[in-house]
């Protein structure tokens, strides 16, 4: 290997930092003196001595070259500089790069470009900044890290590997993207301890990070004492151009700015490349200005490829700004180090190919076999295991002190950390009788929410600007705001998608935090991608979705859900619940709270509903159950099935049919998923195979009902869009009536 | 009625314009001198003389009062000023307000607040600025208007009524929000001629407006000549705080800025109130700064309640900025004129109530009966019918000239305007034989797209930064960009939701424009709300959705659709198509192009598929059809059904079963919706009721298949999330195999 001086290295490791093309339509940030860091700053280098840092104004300017695509030829100054600390950082950074390159190459699938460009910030975060315990990825007070640009997951896997997490061994890196590995194609918290949330769908991660930071801020405000900051961590996130373009990111970041989440630090990997090419073709807005508008502190690191000190200084500055989240725009070269593919879309989402891997090894002076971690790098990182253990032990000691002084708070915090529900919590849920006054299930839901908030210390949530319609305010609490973060009513504004993803982040912060969020059921369309991530990543978010049918009336078809029940029944690992009255609403909340590993969606009515004889919490827990029956020997003439507001209609029809001598069973199908999980014997007891005369009624798409009504049954529903008129009128015009049920039943038995 | 002088009126009509509370976290716009208009400007007042305009620096400053909630008491200067032109404007503006108030009151449902606050800008747009022909709402060259804050639809209904549109007669106003009326609860283009698009779900409308403006810019670039600007109109949109919070709005507005859509003028109704109260609780970002970052020209009208000249001047200024869209932030008072409810959320979405209606009448000096349009107002507006006819006639004459000089272009433009498809267009679609090389349907789709682009003059579209994965580039065209708007490849960036809504706007611009858009099928979750509006509003957008199953492999469960086919099959008025090979892909495109009043979603494979014997375009048109069959008398032993990539698996299984002597029918279920529309006889010919041995195979949720396989059939599918691994491995592990089909078939017959 050829050797070279420090200066040679500085000259050789090229960056496009100062030639980043903004295009004529991309104005410079409004106030450069605030946004860009002076290159001559020499902040403390935590964990290493600062005296030998080579980054000075002279060397930094030496890096400035004019050609954007000029090849990077750092022909291995490594050996000479091996003894210096910066060289070790270089080496560690290159280790990260090559672990990513090698894993993607072996899988012949994946995204090497981002890890190669973001390795410096990744290294600095995991090696110098973040506080975590590799042997306990769930340590409560750890700093959280989210890779919002999830396709670059090899960056995180490489970092977890170096840091000593058990989840990512060398064989896991070699099994990248293979069946059963802990290194799937995008980061998945349910597969890989050390991964906080599931990312990949762009924009979700940064919104999750807002939720994580919110949870920290809330718990800190509730539990910290003047003499003990028992809750105290940062949330870091790396997001790319793709995340920046997604609307969800703007929603979540607007809220983060509003809430002043000062311990949220976001790194924007500004590499100017997206899958379709240069971002110039579709993304020429000034992100800095937008984030200033959103109320963030913005810093620009111009040289993210080799400007370690710039990155360090930016983080230091970010931490001094405690009332605003910080966006650190880090200009990097995607695929840094690849002589022929760096700074092009070709390195974004494909393996480099053997030839280019070889060229990159030569270019970055990397003589090692694939997947090799040099001993000095390994040794350098090895301190994180003992240091992490020490950090946790220190916190445990701090908590023991806290517990002595603040017994009650400590117990509450403990229960939030463990996720153990207080004994008998479900007794707080209200109960109803058929004599209770008729009410909308959205109102009954509010009674449940308020009852739960009294007994569940980690219960909090809110609505996307529909609190007064969704009936979701917790009356005993105020609003979570910048100056009142200890409160529990979250005000999301009209940002459904951001709301869902923020709640995923909250839910994944700590097992005992139970977030709920609310909007009109039809607007689950806006947040469907976030709900899917709840389901996939096992986040037990409670979705309070009111105005669940044409029963909302005059707002018309844009506001009336039709296909939504079916669409969620088809989604894996979601509980879709549509309670019919007070007891079923209470039952739905019981189920939702108990299911901490899957989200629950409660579809609730705007209109008043009667409390029906026969409904029960226990029934809800079975998903489908007999509400009333005048048959014997499990042989009704006909089975009427309904959900939510239509169970009342089915019951009325049953009353009429019984008057005519029919043996009629009425079944509430409040949750298809729960019913599916029951034993065959139970299912037969509710829906005997011999009884083929079955009628379903639901004010929504009939899609899917064939499963329960069978080939001979009749499904009454709505297979068109709704209409704007008073609810009663629409129900009648659409034939969602007891008369229709009676007629259908009679045609079958 | 008491009279008062002009000054008294100016003093009496209060506004909160200069006392708009920004809160400490909401910084002032960065450059006030650019954003706010000088109040002493006196622009031309189109349609009225300018000499008598009372808005001067003196009167404007006279309007400035300190109390934000101070009641508005303009006790009827109207009578005295009746003869002046501004008084007539006041009267017209109040007419709009009271039509909205009265309609909401009569319906006891609706949103009076926005129309009351936005009446001035509404009046100025429809009475002074916009060019349209009330008797032909479809006149091609009309200015487009979108009420993105659709809940305020009474504003638009009132304006259409005054302007002389046949669709909104007095009885329609009185039928607001009633069954069968042309005045539904939110604006619906399919119900009300004069309404361009369907709004209500927030943020959609402004994105639609971007699409409308894009269509104008594209057609203008293609068809305008130095001597004839045959395409030349503006697109106006009113959006509120709610729209501003939605991520989709940021996505679409980022693109509008990128594309430099100078003829898009957006009015932001900055009234500081959302449903949950003051926007301070959730929305404190600086919108002005954000829009500057997005590349828009931003103007602030501080007094949107009575500052008519400020509004006029802002529009004038906006029109001078031709390379950027303009956001006019108009600070208004929601519910302006209501003494006790103005400037509060209570006036947002509920009728004022009889008492407050009365108080508002007194306050604004409105002595008239409900729904009354004063004669002078009526007379003033009556000119729009003849003027509109003249505008259209003038344009027709211009077009006749154009046609003489530019025959070919005129013919092409005509076909775009009429929406008539060129004769024999479908012959351009490629055909395949079983010998054609196996290929992914995403690639076959690209062949279709490119074939169609050659014969359909209004065909254009693109991808959300996945063109090279979705295979959606039109090779004979360049990119639609700021400087090349005549091109047809749209680059949406990673903005799925904005993309869908922009395409809705494009589709609704002119019947012959056929937009397509593309992303991975799983990311329909991001754009579902826009797809639903396509379906509801009858926009024939073509959704090219590739990577349609676990067959995409290593990217894993975040990228693998499972429930998506079912979720769209449940949605009304959508064609969900999943073609199996080349001929079915061509068939799917034929169906999609023909269906101009409903969107089509094409689910396409990443992986290669064989061309199967028996598939056909004609078969696709029937939705479900027999691909192969060795039975006789319509009595197969078993029916195997599949879609897309699994049809090949079903066919392989059939081959094996036939070798064992079974009579097997293979049915392609490419579109359930189209199959549902066939005659009972046809359905029986494909799925004879007597044959209950049925097996379905589809690499997605089995939800819904019970309808086709019946109670005794077996559905092979995936009712869990996917996994990250090579595609073949996942197929095998999940049991999506011919072996599984054979085993299931054997268990049934």
């Amino acid at each position: 290997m050829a050797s070279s001086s420090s200066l040679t290295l500085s000259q050789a490791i090229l960056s496009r930092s100062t030639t980043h093309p903004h295009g004529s339509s991309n104005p410079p940030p409004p106030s450069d003196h605030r946004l860009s860091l002076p290159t001559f700053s020499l902040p403390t280098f935590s964990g290493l001595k600062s005296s030998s840092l080579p980054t000075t104004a002279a060397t930094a300017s030496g890096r400035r070259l004019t050609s954007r695509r000029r090849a990077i030829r750092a022909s291995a100054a490594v050996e000479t500089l091996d003894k210096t600390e910066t060289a070790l950082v270089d080496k560690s950074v290159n280790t990260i790069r090559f672990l990513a390159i090698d894993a993607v190459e072996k899988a012949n699938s994946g995204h090497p470009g981002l890890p190669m460009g973001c390795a410096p910030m990744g290294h600095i975060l995991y090696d110098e900044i973040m506080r975590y315990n590799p042997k306990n990825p769930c340590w409560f007070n750890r700093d959280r890290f989210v890779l919002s640009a999830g396709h670059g997951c090899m960056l995180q896997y490489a970092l977890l590997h170096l840091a000593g997490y058990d989840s990512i061994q060398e064989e896991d890196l070699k099994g990248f993207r293979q069946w059963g590995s802990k290194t799937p194609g995008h980061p998945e918290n349910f597969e890989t301890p050390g991964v906080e949330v599931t990312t990949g769908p762009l924009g979700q991660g940064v919104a999750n990070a807002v939720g994580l930071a919110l949870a920290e801020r809330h718990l800190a405000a509730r539990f910290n004492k003047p003499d003990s900051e028992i809750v105290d961590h940062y949330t870091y996130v790396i997001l790319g151009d793709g995340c920046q373009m997604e609307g969800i990111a703007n929603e979540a970041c607007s809220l983060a700015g509003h809430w002043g989440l000062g311990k949220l630090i976001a790194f924007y990997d500004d590499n100017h490349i997206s899958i379709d090419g240069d971002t110039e073709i579709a993304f020429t807005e000034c992100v800095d200005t937008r984030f200033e508008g959103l109320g963030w502190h913005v810093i620009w690191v111009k040289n993210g490829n080799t400007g370690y000190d710039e990155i360090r200084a930016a983080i230091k500055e970010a931490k001094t700004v405690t009332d605003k989240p910080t966006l650190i725009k880090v200009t990097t070269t995607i695929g840094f180090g690849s002589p022929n593919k760096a700074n092009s879309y070709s390195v974004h989402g494909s393996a480099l190919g053997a030839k280019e891997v070889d060229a990159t090894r030569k270019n970055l002076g990397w003589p090692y076999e694939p997947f090799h971690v040099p001993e000095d790098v390994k040794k350098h990182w090895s301190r994180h295991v003992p240091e992490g253990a020490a950090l946790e032990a220190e916190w445990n000691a701090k908590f023991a002190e806290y517990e002595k002084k603040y017994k009650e708070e400590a117990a509450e915090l403990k229960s939030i950390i463990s996720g153990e529900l207080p004994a008998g919590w479900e007794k707080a849920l209200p109960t109803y009788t058929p004599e209770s006054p008729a009410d909308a299930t959205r109102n009954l839901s509010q009674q449940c929410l308020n009852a739960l908030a009294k007994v569940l210390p980690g219960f909090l949530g809110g609505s996307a600007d529909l609190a007064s319609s969704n009936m979701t305010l917790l009356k005993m609490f105020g609003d979570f705001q910048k100056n009142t973060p200890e409160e529990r009513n979250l005000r999301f504004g009209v940002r459904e998608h951001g709301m869902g993803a923020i709640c995923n982040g909250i839910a994944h912060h700590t097992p005992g935090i139970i977030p709920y969020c609310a909007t009109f059921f039809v607007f689950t369309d806006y947040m469907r991608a976030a709900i899917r991530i709840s389901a996939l990543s096992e986040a037990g978010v409670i979705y309070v979705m009111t105005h669940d049918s044409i029963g909302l009336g005059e707002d018309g078809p844009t506001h009336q859900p039709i296909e939504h029940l079916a669409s969620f029944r088809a989604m894996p690992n979601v509980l879709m619940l549509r309670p019919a009255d007070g007891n079923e609403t209470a039952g739905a909340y019981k189920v939702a709270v108990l299911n901490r590993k899957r989200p629950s969606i409660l579809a609730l009515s705007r209109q008043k509903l009667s409390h029906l004889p026969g409904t029960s919490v226990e029934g809800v827990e079975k998903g489908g159950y007999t509400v009333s029956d005048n048959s014997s020997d499990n042989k009704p003439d006909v089975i009427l099935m309904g959900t939510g507001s239509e169970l009342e209609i089915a019951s009325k029809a049953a009353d009429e049919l019984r008057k005519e001598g029919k043996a009629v069973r009425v079944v509430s199908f409040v949750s298809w998923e729960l019913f599916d999980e029951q034993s065959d014997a139970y299912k037969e007891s509710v829906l005997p195979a011999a009884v083929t005369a079955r009628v379903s009624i639901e004010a929504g798409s009939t899609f899917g009902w064939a499963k329960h009504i069978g080939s001979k049954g009749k499904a009454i529903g709505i297979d068109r869009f709704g209409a704007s008129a008073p609810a009663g009128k629409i129900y009648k015009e659409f034939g969602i009536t007891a008369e229709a049920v009676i007629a259908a039943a009679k045609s079958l038995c």
Side-chain angles (χ1 to χ4, degrees), chain A:
Chain A
M1 306 278 305
S3 69
S4 70
S5 72
S6 168
L7 185 64
T8 310
L9 176 67
S10 297
Q11 288 170 330
I13 299 176
L14 310 185
S15 102
R16 50 185 265 271
S17 63
T18 57
T19 57
H20 191 63
H22 272 288
S24 57
S25 58
N26 199 349
S31 47
D32 254 358
H33 64 284
R34 287 179 52 203
L35 296 180
S36 69
L37 290 167
T39 49
F40 47 82
S41 67
L42 272 171
T44 306
F45 181 3
S46 90
L48 290 172
K49 284 179 292 179
S50 62
S51 58
S52 61
L53 290 174
T55 304
T56 65
T59 57
S61 78
R63 284 173 190 154
R64 288 179 192 159
L65 292 175
T66 49
S67 167
R68 191 169 155 216
R69 289 195 176 256
R70 198 154 155 187
I72 295 149
R73 294 186 203 86
S75 53
V78 179
E79 294 302 302
T80 303
L81 296 177
D82 223 341
K83 299 285 182 279
T84 76
E85 284 142 346
T86 294
L88 189 57
V89 175
D90 277 336
K91 204 165 175 180
S92 169
V93 166
N94 280 334
T95 303
I96 296 162
R97 288 191 177 117
F98 280 98
L99 288 177
I101 289 168
D102 295 339
V104 172
E105 200 63 23
K106 184 163 190 300
N108 192 25
S109 172
H111 302 75
L114 183 141
M116 293 166 77
C118 291
M121 62 182 112
H123 167 89
I124 289 170
L125 275 174
Y126 270 81
D127 191 51
E128 303 175 14
I129 303 294
M130 280 171 55
R131 303 195 310 163
Y132 57 87
N133 179 6
K135 298 303 172 197
N136 181 9
C138 298
W139 171 43
F140 166 72
N141 202 40
R142 69 194 180 276
D143 285 337
R144 267 67 169 180
F145 173 77
V146 175
L147 185 64
S148 191
H151 51 274
C153 54
M154 265 312 305
L155 173 71
Q156 193 170 7
Y157 299 152
L159 292 165
L160 294 175
H161 177 60
L162 291 175
Y165 282 76
D166 294 334
S167 48
I168 309 281
Q169 309 290 330
E170 187 179 326
E171 58 265 30
D172 297 298
L173 297 174
K174 289 180 176 167
F176 181 53
R177 292 188 154 222
Q178 302 308 303
W179 180 262
S181 78
K182 292 216 174 308
T183 46
H186 291 84
E188 292 165 359
N189 60 301
F190 53 96
E191 296 283 7
T192 317
V195 170
E196 302 286 351
V197 293
T198 291
T199 58
L202 294 172
Q204 299 289 334
V206 62
N208 296 162
V210 173
L212 290 166
L214 180 153
E216 193 271 347
R217 189 159 168 75
H218 172 69
L219 295 177
R222 274 172 67 182
F223 295 104
N224 285 357
K225 302 289 176 184
D227 63 348
S228 180
E229 297 221 341
I230 199 68
V231 183
D232 176 25
H233 72 78
Y234 284 86
T235 300
Y236 300 96
V237 54
I238 295 180
L239 69 161
D241 290 304
C243 291
Q244 286 288 19
M245 290 188 246
E246 291 285 6
I248 183 179
N250 194 70
E251 292 181 9
C253 292
S254 177
L255 279 170
H258 170 74
W259 288 326
L261 299 175
K263 287 165 91 175
L264 173 62
I265 300 179
F267 295 80
Y268 162 34
D269 175 28
D270 169 46
N271 66 31
H272 229 253
I273 295 292
S274 69
I275 292 176
D276 278 352
D278 197 295
T279 51
E280 280 294 309
I281 67 171
F283 186 51
T284 51
E285 67 175 59
C286 183
V287 172
D288 318 62
T289 305
R290 177 160 62 87
F291 270 77
E292 298 240 317
L294 297 180
W296 285 54
H297 182 66
V298 180
I299 305 171
W300 184 14
V301 169
K302 291 183 180 172
N303 174 12
N305 294 327
T306 58
Y308 307 138
D309 283 349
E310 284 186 64
I311 296 170
R312 292 173 186 127
I315 297 169
K316 195 177 175 192
E317 179 179 327
K319 288 188 173 182
T320 66
V321 180
T322 58
D323 62 342
K324 287 179 176 187
T326 294
L327 182 80
I328 305 177
K329 179 169 98 167
V330 188
T331 298
T332 69
T333 302
I334 191 170
F336 180 89
S338 161
N340 304 300
K341 293 191 168 182
N343 197 31
S344 81
Y345 69 90
S346 66
V347 79
H348 166 84
S350 308
L352 292 179
K355 200 175 148 191
E356 188 64 12
V357 170
D358 196 46
T360 307
R361 279 189 145 69
K362 284 205 181 74
N363 188 42
L364 290 179
W366 199 251
Y368 308 107
E369 289 299 297
F371 297 103
H372 181 74
V373 179
E375 278 309 314
D376 46 356
V377 172
K378 207 177 276 179
K379 191 176 163 223
H380 174 74
W381 280 82
S382 67
R383 76 186 190 287
H384 290 290
V385 169
E387 281 184 13
L391 279 172
E392 183 169 350
E394 191 187 317
W395 186 83
N396 286 340
K398 192 174 177 178
F399 188 81
E401 282 300 306
Y402 181 91
E403 205 168 12
K404 276 183 211 158
K405 286 192 199 165
Y406 310 108
K407 203 172 170 185
E408 208 170 306
E409 291 92 330
E412 192 165 276
L413 180 56
K414 244 184 179 171
S415 84
I416 289 176
I417 292 173
S418 72
E420 206 174 308
L421 298 172
W425 65 272
E426 72 276 12
K427 295 196 186 85
L429 287 167
T431 56
Y432 303 88
T433 69
E435 289 69 42
S436 303
D439 208 346
T441 49
R442 62 171 170 157
N443 292 329
L444 300 162
S445 160
Q446 186 167 42
Q447 294 171 8
C448 293
L449 288 169
N450 278 277
L452 290 172
K454 281 182 194 145
V455 293
L456 301 177
F459 200 70
L460 83 175
S463 162
D465 195 44
L466 288 169
S468 52
S469 293
N470 301 138
M471 309 306 292
T472 47
L473 274 191
L474 303 181
K475 293 172 185 173
M476 67 287 262
F477 296 115
D479 288 354
F480 173 93
Q481 294 288 0
K482 190 186 260 191
N483 297 321
T484 51
E486 70 282 8
E487 299 290 354
R488 301 203 212 165
N489 285 302
L490 305 178
R491 300 290 198 167
F492 290 103
V494 192
R495 304 181 184 95
E496 299 83 6
H497 201 179
M499 173 173 74
I502 288 169
C503 285
N504 285 336
I506 296 172
H508 284 308
H509 185 276
T510 298
I513 308 190
I514 305 179
Y516 67 90
C517 65
T519 183
F520 290 163
F521 189 34
V522 77
F523 297 138
T524 50
D525 285 350
Y526 275 69
M527 58 193 306
R528 193 171 170 90
I531 297 176
R532 190 175 206 258
I533 297 277
S534 303
L536 175 63
S537 74
E538 303 176 354
V541 177
I542 302 176
Y543 291 93
V544 182
M545 298 292 141
T546 71
H547 296 60
D548 72 345
S549 75
I550 53 167
L552 64 86
E554 291 89 343
D555 275 345
T558 51
H559 284 55
Q560 291 163 355
I562 296 292
E563 67 279 17
H564 299 74
L565 290 167
S567 81
F568 286 111
R569 286 170 183 155
M571 187 183 278
N573 203 42
V574 167
L575 288 175
M576 179 68 248
L577 298 139
R578 189 163 185 249
D581 64 3
N583 289 330
E584 286 206 351
T585 302
Y589 273 103
K590 183 179 175 193
V591 164
V593 170
L594 283 173
N595 275 273
R596 295 292 79 233
K597 294 251 176 187
R598 54 180 164 176
S600 297
I601 305 175
L602 278 67
L604 302 161
S605 77
R606 176 184 188 236
Q607 71 273 31
K608 284 188 182 181
L609 306 175
S610 300
H611 298 273
L612 301 172
T615 58
S616 70
V617 170
E618 298 71 35
V620 173
E621 292 179 296
K622 293 195 183 296
Y625 66 106
T626 299
V627 173
S628 70
D629 193 3
N630 65 330
S631 73
S632 51
D633 298 331
N634 202 22
K635 281 183 190 162
D637 297 325
V638 64
I639 300 173
L640 309 182
M641 314 173 200
T643 74
S645 41
E646 287 70 63
L647 190 64
E648 187 174 351
I649 296 175
S651 297
K652 277 185 190 158
D655 289 345
E656 290 305 311
L657 288 164
R658 286 168 190 152
K659 279 182 199 162
E660 296 179 27
K662 301 282 186 193
V664 184
R665 173 176 299 174
V666 176
V667 172
S668 171
F669 253 107
V670 56
S671 166
W672 293 25
E673 301 82 12
L674 291 175
F675 184 72
D676 278 349
E677 291 166 12
Q678 304 307 313
S679 68
D680 286 346
Y682 178 78
K683 288 182 196 166
E684 173 68 16
S685 78
V686 178
L687 294 184
V691 181
T692 60
R694 303 177 182 188
V695 178
S696 69
I697 181 162
E698 187 172 70
S701 169
T702 60
F703 191 84
W705 274 103
K707 179 177 174 180
H708 297 305
I709 58 169
S711 304
K712 292 179 183 165
K714 292 203 173 175
I716 297 172
I718 306 171
D719 291 317
R720 51 158 287 183
F721 286 111
S724 173
K729 177 72 176 170
I730 313 177
Y731 263 85
K732 204 177 155 191
E733 291 285 346
F734 282 19
I736 311 297
T737 59
E739 292 70 38
V741 176
I742 293 165
K746 285 186 177 172
S747 75
L748 296 174
C749 70

